[in-house]
Amino acid sequence: MTTTARPSPGIVIKEILTGSRPLLGQDKRLRTVDSASITDIHRTYKEHVRQTRGGRLLGGRQPHVAHYVSFLNYFRMAKYLGLVEKVGEEPSSRARFLVTTTPDGQVVPAVRSLYALTEAGRLEEDAWRHLSTAYKASYAAARGPVKIPAPVGRQ
């Protein structure tokens, strides 16, 4: 990979969950993991992009990093493809998210979901490089051919 190309979010997710790239946790310390929250994985991805690009692009601009919502979409695609799965939960350590209220008024502790690679996720390479392409192909195959209805009034 060259230093000018933005790293694929899928590749970074796989590297973190296989333990080949250390995770930058909430405590800002690096550690090797086999499961992690989406928030911690995104934080590590952002830092990796900044380091890969040397912090700045030509003209002094910041490197483009997938925003959290875009990163969630990548992660959703990986879940749909069966590359990652939820393996547990841990209490949220952010003060404003320590408790949450349910619709019936109960106050419960907030938790963060932890995800790990599936066996398919460990073996797959192409889908991680191009998550959106693999997702679209899988979704289209599952959905079948698109049937376009005839216009009303025409036969």
Side-chain angles (χ1 to χ4, degrees):
M1 179 186 315
T2 65
T3 58
T4 58
R6 181 180 73 164
S8 163
I11 294 296
V12 176
I13 293 169
K14 182 179 181 183
E15 288 175 351
I16 291 168
L17 294 178
T18 57
S20 63
R21 176 176 304 285
L23 177 76
L24 181 63
Q26 282 186 328
D27 55 5
K28 304 291 186 202
R29 291 192 318 205
L30 292 172
R31 63 187 193 281
T32 302
V33 297
D34 60 355
S35 66
S37 71
I38 298 173
T39 303
D40 287 344
I41 295 171
H42 181 250
R43 182 181 303 114
T44 305
Y45 162 74
K46 287 191 315 185
E47 188 60 33
H48 174 68
V49 170
R50 289 184 180 118
Q51 288 174 358
T52 302
R53 293 279 183 94
R56 297 257 180 218
L57 296 175
L58 248 50
R61 297 185 326 253
Q62 289 289 331
H64 174 73
V65 177
H67 295 281
Y68 187 71
V69 173
S70 298
F71 195 81
L72 283 176
N73 285 332
Y74 282 112
F75 215 87
R76 179 181 54 84
M77 291 178 217
K79 286 194 302 188
Y80 179 86
L81 293 168
L83 303 175
V84 294
E85 64 185 348
K86 182 177 174 180
V87 294
E89 295 177 336
E90 68 180 11
S92 177
S93 60
R94 295 187 149 212
R96 66 179 185 201
F97 298 120
L98 290 179
V99 294
T100 186
T101 307
T102 62
D104 60 352
Q106 288 184 328
V107 177
V108 295
V111 294
R112 299 179 335 147
S113 297
L114 300 176
Y115 292 89
L117 291 177
T118 61
E119 191 58 36
R122 289 185 191 287
L123 300 174
E124 186 60 50
E125 283 297 323
D126 274 350
W128 283 115
R129 279 191 177 76
H130 309 286
L131 275 174
S132 60
T133 303
Y135 171 78
K136 288 174 188 172
S138 178
Y139 184 78
R143 189 171 153 209
V146 177
K147 296 177 184 169
I148 301 173
V152 178
R154 294 188 183 173
Q155 301 267 338

